[in-house]
Amino acid sequence: MRVLLVEDDDTLGQAVRDHVLASGHAVDWMQTAEDAALAATSVSYGLILLDLRLPDGSGLDILAKLRLAKNPVPVIILTAHDQISDRIEGLNAGADDYLVKPFNLDELTARMLAVSRRYGGNSASVLHVGDLEVKITERNILSPQGEIILSGREWAVLECLLHRSGAIVSKPQIEEALYAFGSEIESNTVEVYISRLRKKLGSNRISTVRGVGYKIEDKT
């Protein structure tokens, strides 16, 4: 998915960005409230990681405006403030989860996956695609022949399909999950990763709806 990271601390921001990128997601990193608000209203993000204290404003103001505009994007607040009142304020403003700095990056990944599953309407951590068992949190796929290994970007494409249960996912939607601002989009990237997934998962797992997009088949 495409993630908006809002964090003004250079060291933490770079660490989080690199970790999320390594997980196969696209990341747009903004360090001011103004830039974050513009990005959040310009792009359809799968998740926002939101610092509360920014040099030109409050992350809570950004969150409040998103919810006022009926934007349901899931938001995880990242803050150094561990007071219960701060947590309550963030959750009441519409945040989906809360992490207090310093935090473990692997825990952040787990919470991102949990929140995105709930947002996608499927809270299950284990899905079945035919005879494949897909463990979303562990990023593990088991087939009757053994484990299937996917790259980070292959996972990103697969999750994009899985999180839109029963729906056709367009090429632009998949591209948006793969690319951040400033990235050059190659015309055949989506087709390449769909082809790789079919080779690893089985050619019948992902169907093409010509001129519309792609759809995962036989998912439970």
Side-chain angles (χ1 to χ4, degrees), residues 117-132:
R117 285 200 307 271
R118 294 198 300 269
Y119 175 70
N122 195 327
S123 61
S125 61
V126 179
L127 297 172
H128 291 87
V129 180
D131 57 1
L132 303 179

Side-chain angles (χ1 to χ4, degrees), residues 18-197:
D18 292 349
H19 183 78
V20 176
L21 282 171
S23 298
H25 306 296
V27 183
D28 295 324
W29 177 18
M30 304 298 165
Q31 295 182 273
T32 67
E34 181 180 4
D35 289 343
L38 179 61
T41 55
S42 302
V43 176
S44 178
Y45 287 102
L47 182 77
I48 296 178
L49 302 174
L50 181 64
D51 186 18
L52 288 184
R53 300 295 175 92
L54 299 165
D56 60 337
S58 169
L60 287 178
D61 291 338
I62 297 173
L63 178 57
K65 290 176 181 178
L66 286 171
R67 297 309 186 227
L68 186 63
K70 306 299 182 183
N71 188 329
V73 58
V75 174
I76 298 177
I77 287 179
L78 312 176
T79 181
H81 302 278
D82 60 356
Q83 295 294 324
I84 294 297
S85 59
D86 290 327
R87 301 185 192 192
I88 292 173
E89 187 177 11
L91 294 171
N92 285 342
D96 297 88
D97 205 348
Y98 203 110
L99 270 176
V100 177
K101 305 172 187 176
F103 48 82
N104 182 279
L105 291 173
D106 289 332
E107 181 183 0
L108 172 63
T109 299
R111 291 188 183 226
M112 288 173 59
L113 290 171
V115 167
S116 64
R117 285 200 307 271
R118 294 198 300 269
Y119 175 70
N122 195 327
S123 61
S125 61
V126 179
L127 297 172
H128 291 87
V129 180
D131 57 1
L132 303 179
E133 182 181 82
V134 183
K135 296 181 180 179
I136 302 294
T137 303
E138 294 89 348
R139 288 199 158 189
N140 175 267
I141 301 177
L142 292 177
S143 74
Q145 291 74 39
E147 184 178 1
I148 297 174
I149 306 297
L150 300 184
S151 69
R153 283 202 159 188
E154 288 166 355
W155 267 110
V157 174
L158 180 60
E159 287 176 1
C160 191
L161 296 171
L162 290 173
H163 288 162
R164 291 166 173 80
S165 179
I168 299 170
V169 184
S170 69
K171 180 178 177 179
Q173 285 177 309
I174 298 175
E175 287 176 338
E176 193 167 86
L178 290 173
Y179 289 98
F181 283 132
S183 298
E184 183 177 348
I185 300 177
E186 297 181 14
S187 62
N188 66 336
T189 296
V190 172
E191 289 82 358
V192 167
Y193 283 106
I194 290 292
S195 176
R196 290 180 183 178
L197 285 174

